[in-house]
Amino acid sequence: MAAMIGRIWGAFNPPTPPKSKDALKFGILGAASIAPLALLGPAKSHPEIVIQAVAARQREKAEKFAKSNNIPEVKGSYQEILDDPNIDCVFIPLANSLHFEWAVRSIRAGKHVLLEKPSVANSTEAEILFNLPELSKHDGPVLLEAFHNRFYPAWHFFRSLINPADVVHVSSNSMIPWWGTGKDDIHFNYNLAGGTMMSMGTYNFAALRMAFNAEPEECLSCDVTPGTDGVHKKCDYDFTAKFRFPNGAIGEAHSTLKGPTMWTPSHVTATHRAVVVPDKTLPADQEKTQSREVTLHGVIHAIFWHRIDVKDVFEIRSKDSGSVIKKWTEKKSHKTYSFNEAGGEFEHLPGETNWMSYRYMLEQFVNRVKGRKTQHWVGQQDSIAQMKMLDMAYEKSGLGLRPTSKYTSSVE
């Protein structure tokens, strides 16, 4: 308990090293509530990031936000941030429906972009955005979909414990209690590309894709509880989806924004088929098999708490009859709050136990912008595939795709 308290305290009260002379200056489009957690806090401990400016639809809101977070400049509009040659990067935490337009505008203004997930409203927008010619230039802008949890050590250690070729089933669950959201939240506004699959479900879907290291071939089912009136009508409050992956593997995902009062951590479980493992101590007419189940509890915000459970089931079988001669189970649990704790191939990678997943992500973002090596990344085609999976589920649910931005017609 003391270690957890110290770790979390350190995450919200990080050391503040001096900023370098060539630090990247960030502008924030929107005084969003996620910004302090996703950027402002983690930036404090990064010597190469300065939060320079913020803009909001209502200047008063931007001024209040800037004062609360010690941001030196308030701009009169999002465009003013893009027009400022002193700004190197922008963070876009706007409503999903606005991601496409402002990401395109930012890239064409020569800004590097950290884009809140989901990246856009649908795969049509994703295909256009992530294939912008500016992104393929040698010195072009950097664009990253902010899938922060995919940069955290626990996620990488979890993936190192599974063999995607042998995984036959993956399940992923997440939730937010009913008291954590309200009916008028942007999550429940269809015109703003809202819905549970867009907000929490995108984590679940990414977990399936990463565990299988493959893309779904079909959405077999997607049951949803939608709103019933106005802008809420086509927004899912919860969903349960099933996908078929290559070789007949099955992925299942569930999430809700109206969950029980008691919060439970997100989790993903990967189940392997039984495979023959070498054992020279066995007689020639016997073989040893292993089937593995790996669960990561705490997929999304692992710094607060997580645990990786590994359950291996071994069997000694007769090669002739297939009968089981002996069977036993071995269980292990792991926690990896830093790459050093993960050890092995990861131990040399940067990070501290009090780094949030957002801080790990910022490390890689700055490295990419500065032209340095990045150990982990969410690539352009990866983000397109993610939106295709979301589209697949929304089509199967009967709710239809989230609306495409009119700004797509302005992109040549």
Side-chain angles (χ1 to χ4, degrees):
M1 179 61 75
M4 180 180 71
I5 293 173
R7 185 176 63 250
I8 296 173
W9 187 92
F12 286 97
N13 300 273
T16 54
K19 301 297 182 179
S20 61
K21 292 181 179 179
D22 61 346
L24 299 172
K25 292 183 173 62
F26 261 88
I28 304 174
L29 306 189
S33 60
I34 190 62
L37 184 69
L39 179 63
L40 301 177
K44 291 178 181 179
S45 65
H46 202 303
E48 295 178 288
I49 294 179
V50 170
I51 309 302
Q52 185 66 29
V54 63
R57 287 177 299 168
Q58 300 172 339
R59 186 177 181 90
E60 182 181 351
K61 184 176 181 181
E63 289 176 345
K64 182 178 180 180
F65 185 86
K67 185 177 181 180
S68 299
N69 294 285
N70 297 313
I71 300 174
E73 292 186 63
V74 174
K75 300 291 188 180
S77 67
Y78 303 152
Q79 190 61 46
E80 281 190 30
I81 285 184
L82 303 189
D83 292 339
D84 187 347
N86 193 43
I87 299 295
D88 303 298
C89 313
V90 295
F91 176 49
I92 304 178
L94 302 169
N96 300 333
S97 62
L98 299 175
H99 285 191
F100 175 82
E101 176 178 352
W102 287 102
V104 171
R105 288 182 182 273
S106 299
I107 289 166
R108 292 195 161 169
K111 309 302 184 187
H112 305 291
V113 178
L114 184 60
L115 180 61
E116 257 301 322
K117 50 99 208 75
S119 59
V120 286
N122 55 50
S123 62
T124 297
E125 293 183 0
E127 291 276 10
I128 298 172
L129 173 62
F130 290 98
N131 285 307
L132 286 175
E134 290 87 348
L135 298 175
S136 62
K137 294 180 179 179
H138 174 69
D139 58 348
V142 168
L143 171 61
L144 174 63
E145 182 178 13
F147 255 113
H148 60 96
N149 67 310
R150 288 174 55 176
F151 292 82
Y152 199 75
W155 176 250
H156 291 279
F157 190 68
F158 165 77
R159 291 191 72 191
S160 74
L161 296 171
I162 63 179
N163 181 8
D166 294 326
V167 174
V168 295
H169 185 271
V170 179
S171 62
S172 179
N173 291 267
S174 62
M175 62 87 75
I176 290 180
W178 61 269
W179 47 263
T181 59
K183 185 176 181 180
D184 293 328
D185 287 357
I186 60 174
H187 304 302
F188 304 129
N189 189 319
Y190 172 75
N191 296 329
L192 298 179
T196 296
M197 281 188 273
M198 296 291 284
S199 56
M200 293 295 287
T202 193
Y203 288 110
N204 299 97
F205 291 176
L208 300 187
R209 294 177 53 244
M210 296 300 99
F212 283 119
N213 196 29
E215 307 304 335
E217 298 177 337
E218 180 184 5
C219 182
L220 301 173
S221 63
C222 186
D223 300 319
V224 297
T225 303
T228 57
D229 64 297
V231 296
H232 314 296
K233 195 169 184 179
K234 294 182 180 180
C235 283
D236 46 310
Y237 284 74
D238 59 49
F239 76 90
T240 300
K242 179 184 288 188
F243 297 88
R244 177 170 52 81
F245 280 80
N247 301 315
I250 297 296
E252 297 183 85
H254 170 76
S255 188
T256 178
L257 294 179
K258 293 290 183 181
T261 301
M262 185 66 71
W263 173 80
T264 54
S266 54
H267 66 271
V268 57
T269 298
T271 302
H272 297 66
R273 65 182 176 89
V275 296
V276 176
V277 293
D279 190 334
K280 295 182 180 180
T281 66
L282 295 177
D285 62 346
Q286 294 179 8
E287 64 180 9
K288 181 180 180 181
T289 65
Q290 174 189 17
S291 59
R292 167 168 284 193
E293 181 182 278
V294 187
T295 299
L296 169 58
H297 305 272
V299 176
I300 300 174
H301 293 295
I303 187 171
F304 297 107
W305 176 87
H306 74 268
R307 190 181 71 230
I308 302 169
D309 294 332
V310 183
K311 182 174 73 172
D312 288 317
V313 177
F314 296 94
E315 291 183 350
I316 305 297
R317 296 175 180 173
S318 166
K319 290 182 179 179
D320 297 327
S321 65
S323 60
V324 177
I325 299 169
K326 183 180 179 182
K327 182 177 181 178
W328 72 98
T329 300
E330 296 180 4
K331 296 181 180 180
K332 294 181 180 179
S333 292
H334 309 269
K335 293 183 179 180
T336 52
Y337 291 101
S338 69
F339 284 115
N340 185 58
E341 288 184 348
E345 62 182 293
F346 304 110
E347 64 182 357
H348 69 287
L349 299 179
E352 303 292 340
T353 56
N354 64 348
W355 280 17
M356 288 188 176
S357 51
Y358 298 104
R359 179 60 178 82
Y360 279 100
M361 178 177 67
L362 280 182
E363 187 77 8
Q364 301 304 312
F365 182 81
V366 172
N367 285 346
R368 181 63 62 99
V369 171
K370 295 284 189 178
R372 300 191 292 255
K373 181 180 179 181
T374 51
Q375 288 82 26
H376 315 298
W377 197 249
V378 180
Q380 294 162 226
Q381 295 307 310
D382 192 336
S383 290
I384 292 172
Q386 179 70 12
M387 291 313 304
K388 286 182 176 179
M389 188 175 185
L390 281 162
D391 283 0
M392 191 183 290
Y394 270 116
E395 286 179 336
K396 191 68 176 181
S397 74
L399 295 180
L401 306 187
R402 308 298 86 179
T404 300
S405 170
K406 294 180 180 180
Y407 194 72
T408 55
S409 62
S410 303
V411 182
E412 298 178 356

